[in-house]
């Protein structure tokens, strides 16, 4: 049995009508990316500060 063609794109351009993509290049994706990065930075800085207090 043959499998279908795998053409999943990482980022969807607004003028491309494809359905197979991971991220869409729009405002919502950019805001979510910045939010996730900010939360990760807060977690990493909290780990660093808590480790500094132990020693």
């Amino acid at each position: 049995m043959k499998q279908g063609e795998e053409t999943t794109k990482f980022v969807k351009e607004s003028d491309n009508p494809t359905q197979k993509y991971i991220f869409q290049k729009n405002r919502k994706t950019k805001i979510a990316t910045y939010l996730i990065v900010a939360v990760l930075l807060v977690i990493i800085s909290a780990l660093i500060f808590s480790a500094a207090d132990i020693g």
Side-chain angles (χ1 to χ4, degrees):
M1 179 175 5
K2 284 189 171 182
Q3 266 189 315
E5 184 179 330
E6 295 287 331
T7 58
T8 302
K9 303 290 183 186
F10 190 68
V11 176
K12 178 185 176 197
E13 299 292 333
S14 59
D15 59 345
N16 191 353
T18 185
Q19 296 270 334
K20 297 178 182 178
Y21 60 90
I22 297 173
F23 294 113
Q24 188 170 1
K25 191 180 271 188
N26 61 12
R27 186 173 185 256
K28 192 184 299 185
T29 304
K30 289 180 185 178
I31 291 172
T33 302
Y34 294 139
L35 181 65
I36 291 170
V37 168
V39 168
L40 288 174
L41 288 175
V42 168
I43 291 171
I44 291 170
S45 63
L47 287 172
I48 291 171
F49 288 132
S50 68
D53 289 339
I54 293 172

